[in-house]
Every structure is written in structure tokens, then in C-alpha cells.
Amino acid sequence: ITDPEVTLVGGGAEVEEGGRFVLSAEVSGYPEPTVEWQKVDGDGNFLESIGRGLEMVLDKVTLGMTGKYVARATNCQTKHVFTRSVQLDVIPLPEPTPASTDKEPVNACSVFGDPHIVTFDKHNLHFSGECTYLLAMDCEGFKWFVYGLFTPCGAGTCLTEVTVYINYQL
């Protein structure tokens, strides 16, 4: 029978808010110790138990998770408790820049490859058809239309010509 010991893998860390922090430990002793992870205050006083095991993953860390974490190793045959601690500092994300209200949002669509189309509402279309297709149009005033001619190329079709009508004129 030997007293438990714990070694932390890695060390303290600075993690951006929303990031991931992995608490990892190695243990020795007989019988093999178990590890409980705890959050403690600056003086080492217990705040909360966050789990058991050699590894704890803290996903989507928040500012409230900043602090000291302790790996507490014990086994069933000895009364000895062995601890090691690590400091986690969560870095706040910068405040988002407010969107400008001076401009209207830009909507875009695209055609690429053989062919792949991304629509204004961000749907993806994939097809190979030889034809002239209506690619975009003014659905309210019917003042402009964009047509695309797709012709055979390689194993599919390619956009080979674009025609734009504004007020029914080329």
C-alpha cells in the first residue's frame, strides 16, 4: 500500500471566453488513486466539485470559470490526500462592433465550378444541365433579370455566358 500522488499534465492557462480548457492529471499509488477535480477560492477553500477522472474538459469557458482548480487524489486504503492546483484565466472576448445603420445589407449569390450555385438566401444547388437559366431577377418591380448559359465542359456543364437585362434592355 502506497499513498496517492498526482501530477498535473500541462499547467495554468489563459483561454479565450468560449474556448476549451482541459484539466489533465497522472496518478501513482497503490491501490490506484481516484481524482476529483474541485474549484477553490484564492485561499484554497472548496467552492465546488466539477467532476472525477484523470481528465476534465471545460467547454465554452465563461468569465465566471476563471480561478484555481485542484486535482485531489485519494485511494481506498490510506487516509492521505494529495493535491495539485492549476490556475485558469479566461480572457474576455472583445465587444462586438455595432453594425453600421448607414448602409443596406448586401445580398449576394454566386456561381462557380461545374456548376455550383449559392442563392441569395444561402441555399446550395449542384447540377449539370445544358440550358439557359434565370439566375436572378427583381421579384418586385421586374426591372432587371440575369440569365446564364450553361454549356458542356469536362464531365458537366460550365457557365459560359451571362446576359443582364435592365428595364428590358441588354
Side-chain angles (χ1 to χ4, degrees), residues 112-116 127-131 133 149-160:
F112 59 96
D114 65 344
H116 305 288
F127 67 95
S128 293
E130 183 180 348
C131 193
Y133 293 97
L149 174 62
F150 291 85
T151 57
C153 73
T157 58
C158 295
L159 177 63
T160 55

Side-chain angles (χ1 to χ4, degrees), residues 79-93:
K79 293 184 182 192
H80 185 78
V81 176
F82 198 93
T83 62
R84 287 282 186 251
S85 65
V86 63
Q87 177 68 32
L88 169 62
D89 294 314
V90 179
I91 301 167
L93 292 175

